[in-house]
Amino acid sequence: MRPKIVLFGDSITEASFDVGGWGAALANCFCRTADVVLRGYSGYNTRWVLKVLDRVFPLKSQTQSLSLASPSNVVAVTLFLGANDASLPDRSSAFQHVPIAEYHQNLLAIIAHFKALWPCTVILLITPPPIDEDGRLRYPYGENPSGLPERTLESAKAYATACLEVGREACVPVIDLCSKMQSTPGWEKLYLSDGLHLTAEGNRVVFEEVVEALQKEGVSPEKRTVDLPLLSEMDPNDPLKSFQLLP
Amino acid sequence: MRPKIVLFGDSITEASFDVGGWGAALANCFCRTADVVLRGYSGYNTRWVLKVLDRVFPLKSQTQSLSLASPSNVVAVTLFLGANDASLPDRSSAFQHVPIAEYHQNLLAIIAHFKALWPCTVILLITPPPIDEDGRLRYPYGENPSGLPERTLESAKAYATACLEVGREACVPVIDLCSKMQSTPGWEKLYLSDGLHLTAEGNRVVFEEVVEALQKEGVSPEKRTVDLPLLSEMDPNDPLKSFQLLP
């Protein structure tokens, strides 16, 4: 049974199989060794996620869950939420806002759910990305006549910090994407297409960070069993021998 | 339970989640409605596939199969084989060659296996692509001191014709990729990166043909249930209402 890597999050996860996306790159990287399962829900915050978590990943009747046939079958799950929670409560995306203390508690609850469901699975937190406020004003979601961005860099940083704290509390690794991206000059346009979502370069950063973080936790294509003999390992004089040797 | 679309084939399937790949594009297109499961085995011909078919898609103990939890859960499977079978028997990739009559029978056997496993699933055959012999000489697999391409356009066409015949015999739809690609002038370099594998443009053709063929068979994102409420359908004044209304 081929193991799975589950990607769980908001639109930055949902769009991760678009051209140059980090999810597709991960699926390609783990080709023949693990299936990458996409569970991205555009616009969702941690409050909404908690309303549906047991539908997406049921604790009971696990065999009937979303094709995640066996608990031990999921080797890793990425948990990438907070960009919507961090919408400001008095701006145009207020309906997506979740107070930071609740965000913190919600992330802990999601992690507790994963630990109950998959005790041996690597849970990998990813902080929300930084926000380019100029980009948010140029590409608003819906109408925004206020002239004020619905998300700010300051708020994104605060939620990223909360995410890092959750990682320490729950003893799970965290990719500090917010800091990582800001360490490159010009990150605003280089990594973000609309001040929030990822460019191809931004996708590359997330992909590389996820691969590195998973590797640190012992999850890498090299350490996993390849599904069926590789062409390069077959004997051209007797290729069928490879199949006779299968256990 | 989110339904699945399985991609089964050789390297052109295995590489379909690389940047711009047709598999990733399909996963993105069916986002929130179906999971795209990658089962590509680089270099494999239909003879080798028959040696492992019941391992990859076991007829018995279906719940233990490769995460394909329920038989009815697979809405479509693409079957994209023949490019390796069509290697010439007296050239440098002779070990991958399968005679055309055997290729024909093997494809029928694979389809019979799928029909036994998934009686209601759309099986979509794809012919091998055309071959650009100049490209094969420039980018050989391994050593090829003969100066003769290990695959030819003539052979690819013959196997594509056999694939079309199988589709008629087994009553399953076939994408005639070999003819489709050749209908565009300059197809040799436009669609093929090494005379055999796909460029980004070639991937786009396969993606569009697969989407169109699946649609004809009633499998399209619009006709499938979206997993959980869409942001665009939520009431910004009461977003939680959407979750209370879930069945």
Side-chain angles (χ1 to χ4, degrees), chain A residues 138-158:
Chain A
R138 286 173 193 258
Y139 305 99
Y141 175 77
E143 300 212 348
N144 182 13
S146 71
L148 296 167
E150 90 295 355
R151 288 168 174 82
T152 60
L153 178 57
E154 187 189 357
S155 178
K157 282 182 185 177

Side-chain angles (χ1 to χ4, degrees), chain A residues 26-211:
Chain A
L26 208 62
N28 190 51
C29 174
F30 278 89
C31 186
R32 296 279 287 273
T33 63
D35 285 330
V36 175
V37 180
L38 180 60
R39 287 295 177 273
Y41 298 90
S42 187
Y44 280 41
N45 56 34
T46 56
R47 187 187 291 167
W48 304 357
V49 156
L50 279 180
K51 297 284 180 198
V52 299
L53 192 59
D54 201 59
R55 284 174 176 269
V56 182
F57 307 108
L59 280 180
K60 287 179 197 167
S61 66
Q62 292 168 350
T63 53
Q64 284 181 39
S65 80
L66 289 168
S67 81
L68 308 169
S70 153
S72 60
N73 199 22
V74 176
V75 290
V77 56
T78 59
L79 176 51
F80 194 175
L81 288 165
N84 297 311
D85 302 61
S87 302
L88 297 190
D90 56 354
R91 301 272 172 94
S92 61
S93 286
F95 75 108
Q96 292 173 286
H97 170 75
V98 172
I100 198 161
E102 185 187 336
Y103 168 69
H104 185 120
Q105 290 306 313
N106 290 350
L107 275 187
L108 286 173
I110 296 165
I111 291 168
H113 186 95
F114 284 160
K115 284 186 176 178
L117 185 60
W118 306 314
C120 303
T121 297
V122 172
I123 301 167
L124 179 58
L125 265 172
I126 307 174
T127 74
I131 291 294
D132 167 38
E133 295 169 22
D134 172 69
R136 293 311 305 139
L137 287 172
R138 286 173 193 258
Y139 305 99
Y141 175 77
E143 300 212 348
N144 182 13
S146 71
L148 296 167
E150 90 295 355
R151 288 168 174 82
T152 60
L153 178 57
E154 187 189 357
S155 178
K157 282 182 185 177
Y159 281 72
T161 301
C163 183
L164 289 165
E165 285 165 9
V166 167
R168 276 190 294 273
E169 270 181 59
C171 286
V172 303
V174 189
I175 294 173
D176 185 358
L177 188 67
C178 192
S179 299
K180 170 74 188 175
M181 285 192 158
Q182 288 178 86
S183 68
T184 298
W187 60 268
E188 294 90 340
K189 310 300 179 200
L190 180 64
Y191 294 146
L192 304 170
S193 60
D194 62 358
L196 166 63
H197 296 98
L198 306 175
T199 60
E201 272 302 293
N203 272 291
R204 191 186 51 74
V205 172
V206 175
F207 166 66
E208 289 174 358
E209 290 289 315
V210 169
V211 167

Side-chain angles (χ1 to χ4, degrees), chain B residues 182-193:
Chain B
Q182 289 178 83
S183 68
T184 298
W187 60 268
E188 295 90 340
K189 310 300 180 199
L190 180 65
Y191 295 145
L192 304 171
S193 61

